Amino acid sequence: MFDKILIANRGEIAVRIIRACREMGIKTVAVYSEADRDCLHTLLADEAICIGPAPSGQSYLNMERILAATVAMKAEAIHPGFGFLSENTRFAELCEKCSIAFIGPSSSLINRMGNKSEARKTMMEAGVPVVPGGKEPVHTAEEALKLAKYIGFPVMIKASSGGGGKGMRISYGEEDFETNFQNAQMESIKGFSDDTMYLEKYIEKPRHIEFQIMADKYGNVVHLGERDCSIQRRHQKVLEESPSAAISEELRQRMGETAVKAAKAVGYENAGTIEFLLDKDKNFYFMEMNTRIQVEHPVTEMVSGLDLIKEQIRVAAGERLSVTQDQVCLRGHAIECRINAENPSRNFMPCPGVITNVHTPGGNGVRVDTHIYNDYKVPANYDSMLMKLIVHGRDRQEAIAKMRSALGELIIEGIDTNLDFQFEILCHPAYEDGDTDTHFIPTYFPEYCK
Ligand code: MV4
């Protein structure tokens, strides 16, 4: 087992990882930028080292500085969290070259699954159902249009180096195809220096259902159930829950087996997420594989009882999974609301500033993952997430009641947040009815989608 781990991240996920390490008796090193000098994770870690000025490129994205800090502080492993360098092939490679354990999958796996068209092709060859569409990527509008006609409109145009909606456009017919293809490809070239695109049949009003998997170095792979992440605004998840109101026990079994098959097909190790699209006829299709721990991992922890961060650390240290599939027991219902420093009435504009008063809810089955505190100054340099509010109840009704109560108790003063927007969602009859596909926000809250 590792003696000391460096956490190459900030905010609530850095706090989360430090807590897991403390419980395991593992020493921790926090890295921070000059803007994060007073951040909670720097105070909770055993040691903390400044790695540069506020801009991410000179701090949390600076591979050399993070590796230098790891060597200087004599940490044997790095936990990358999510975002930043967590899915950066080059960084994982450098860790391997420096004999520093990267707590996640291998660099070659990160590379393969980061190429969305290659991942899709691998899954097709493994017999995992993928969204109907092309097997090979396309590079020109001409060849793409030929394929689009073969697939049949509407089609989804996607960037192979994309993900999370970047470099993605819907085309409803020949007349709009070339423009949408060029725009998506231009976005991909600008964002990823890659013009490789691929096409899929557009699935109308799908649900975004993702399965958590965990795999060790001995070929053991388990799934820990699904998370319904369909309530999104511009490809940003707003809230997540498990189990999904749309998944029966029989369908969960089939999707879970498919997720495990996908992970085994690529020789996966550590924590990963298989993203599926579920259509209104309950057909499911592989969409992407995420090679990191995700923001919404607490939802799975609450229903499975497993600590996913500890499991990641154990597996990275060469231990076997602590559960077999038969021992996985998914119980009750969990919901997570992301609380962000943003103003929904001003197009969700980020609202950094000083938090003058924060009161967090508690009670049976209420969990708060956050790094904020009274007088904390929310910096403008990073993403706007302040807190994750997670509840667990015996069933969806009880979980909804708990979340409404927790949101009602939460106080954050001094800056704008999306707290009231979350409350409106939780109180909406369509949410309560489980009528929550990816069109939920545009359908019921169009005023927030302008
Ligand atoms: C799709 C899709 C429908 N059909 N692909 C969104 C980002 C990335 N995870 C892939 N996503 C989607 N891919 C096909 N073939 C629907 C989504 C999707 C979505 C699309 C538009 C608006 C919100 C969305 C939320 C989740 C998934």
Side-chain angles (χ1 to χ4, degrees):
M1 179 45 75
F2 307 122
D3 173 57
K4 189 187 286 188
I5 293 175
L6 181 137
I7 293 92
N9 215 303
R10 64 177 300 279
E12 62 87 15
I13 190 61
V15 170
R16 169 77 187 86
I17 296 164
I18 290 166
R19 286 172 174 157
C21 291
R22 280 164 75 129
E23 291 172 25
M24 297 171 80
I26 299 170
K27 290 197 279 294
T28 52
V29 179
V31 293
Y32 63 92
S33 71
E34 288 162 8
D36 280 345
R37 195 169 292 282
D38 303 326
C39 234
L40 186 58
H41 73 289
T42 63
L43 307 176
L44 288 179
D46 296 303
E47 296 171 287
I49 179 166
C50 183
I51 51 169
S56 299
Q58 297 176 60
S59 51
Y60 301 104
L61 286 175
N62 189 308
M63 300 185 215
E64 289 74 22
R65 288 183 175 181
I66 289 169
L67 289 166
T70 307
V71 172
M73 306 301 274
K74 297 185 175 51
E76 304 114 297
I78 292 176
H79 197 306
F82 47 67
F84 294 127
L85 297 170
S86 61
E87 295 186 292
N88 184 302
T89 304
R90 177 88 186 106
F91 183 64
E93 259 170 10
L94 287 172
C95 290
E96 288 157 5
K97 284 197 169 62
C98 300
S99 302
I100 294 169
F102 178 83
I103 298 176
S106 65
S107 57
S108 65
L109 244 176
I110 293 172
N111 190 41
R112 285 176 62 199
M113 295 300 107
N115 178 331
K116 304 303 177 189
S117 55
E118 277 309 303
R120 181 182 149 77
K121 199 169 153 184
T122 303
M123 294 306 164
M124 286 171 95
E125 288 158 3
V128 170
V130 300
V131 182
K135 181 170 184 182
E136 299 300 333
V138 289
H139 292 84
T140 67
E142 192 185 0
E143 62 179 315
L145 177 57
K146 210 180 292 177
L147 177 59
K149 287 177 179 173
Y150 172 74
I151 295 171
F153 290 98
V155 296
M156 188 66 105
I157 302 162
K158 292 186 176 180
S160 188
S161 294
K166 296 185 195 69
M168 188 177 86
R169 292 291 189 286
I170 303 172
S171 169
Y172 291 95
E174 280 191 54
E175 48 291 340
D176 75 22
F177 184 82
E178 179 140 3
T179 310
N180 280 303
F181 183 84
Q182 306 288 14
N183 289 343
Q185 191 174 45
M186 190 47 68
E187 204 171 293
S188 180
I189 291 166
K190 275 197 192 135
F192 319 107
S193 311
D194 181 3
D195 68 350
T196 312
M197 309 300 285
Y198 64 105
L199 297 189
E200 295 175 341
K201 184 76 183 155
Y202 176 62
I203 308 289
E204 307 278 351
K205 300 186 78 169
R207 279 180 187 249
H208 174 124
I209 305 290
E210 57 187 36
F211 269 73
Q212 180 68 54
I213 51 120
M214 187 61 83
D216 62 22
K217 296 178 188 283
Y218 310 98
N220 301 305
V221 184
V222 296
H223 78 81
L224 300 171
E226 81 276 9
R227 295 183 291 260
D228 192 327
C229 306
S230 303
I231 298 188
Q232 301 189 14
R233 180 185 173 274
R234 295 195 185 161
H235 305 299
Q236 285 298 313
K237 294 168 182 168
V238 174
L239 72 81
E240 307 95 348
E241 61 182 299
S242 179
S244 166
I247 305 266
S248 66
E249 189 45 46
E250 183 276 332
L251 181 53
R252 176 171 302 108
Q253 180 89 21
R254 279 191 293 124
M255 292 180 82
E257 282 165 6
T258 304
V260 169
K261 184 160 107 174
K264 287 187 171 173
V266 298
Y268 200 80
E269 282 179 17
N270 214 279
T273 295
I274 310 281
E275 283 187 1
F276 293 105
L277 285 175
L278 182 74
D279 72 15
K280 54 191 176 312
D281 304 323
K282 307 290 185 192
N283 300 304
F284 62 91
Y285 308 100
F286 170 86
M287 189 162 55
E288 300 176 20
M289 177 165 199
N290 300 326
T291 56
R292 67 183 187 274
I293 192 75
Q294 304 213 184
V295 169
E296 58 270 24
H297 77 272
V299 157
T300 300
E301 294 187 322
M302 302 292 269
V303 296
S304 71
L306 264 182
D307 184 313
L308 295 183
I309 305 296
K310 289 185 182 177
E311 207 62 23
Q312 282 191 286
I313 294 168
R314 288 196 188 99
V315 161
E319 292 186 15
R320 306 174 78 84
L321 286 181
S322 51
V323 285
T324 60
Q325 194 65 58
D326 306 350
Q327 292 166 333
V328 172
C329 172
L330 305 173
R331 199 179 52 76
H333 197 102
I335 302 171
E336 173 184 88
C337 284
R338 299 184 185 202
I339 308 299
N340 303 323
E342 60 191 9
N343 185 335
S345 52
R346 299 181 68 181
N347 199 25
F348 291 82
M349 187 179 76
C351 298
V354 176
I355 292 173
T356 52
N357 176 31
V358 49
H359 165 76
T360 54
N364 181 26
V366 178
R367 167 175 164 178
V368 178
D369 280 19
T370 190
H371 58 293
I372 68 172
Y373 52 82
N374 281 343
D375 300 330
Y376 172 63
K377 183 176 185 305
V378 180
N381 315 76
Y382 312 111
D383 77 56
S384 62
M385 190 166 74
L386 297 173
M387 175 187 294
K388 294 168 346 195
L389 192 46
I390 309 112
V391 300
H392 179 267
R394 281 166 310 174
D395 54 31
R396 189 164 191 265
Q397 283 60 42
E398 187 177 61
I400 289 174
K402 281 180 186 284
M403 184 56 88
R404 285 175 180 165
S405 164
L407 288 167
E409 186 180 344
L410 175 60
I411 295 170
I412 300 177
E413 291 170 342
I415 57 169
D416 292 317
T417 70
N418 65 336
L419 174 54
D420 294 345
F421 175 45
Q422 290 284 16
F423 199 76
E424 286 176 57
I425 292 171
L426 260 287
C427 294
H428 197 287
Y431 177 75
E432 195 162 343
D433 294 346
D435 168 19
T436 58
D437 62 35
T438 50
H439 287 235
F440 177 86
I441 300 279
T443 304
Y444 298 108
F445 295 91
E447 68 278 20
Y448 288 129
C449 294
K450 288 189 179 61

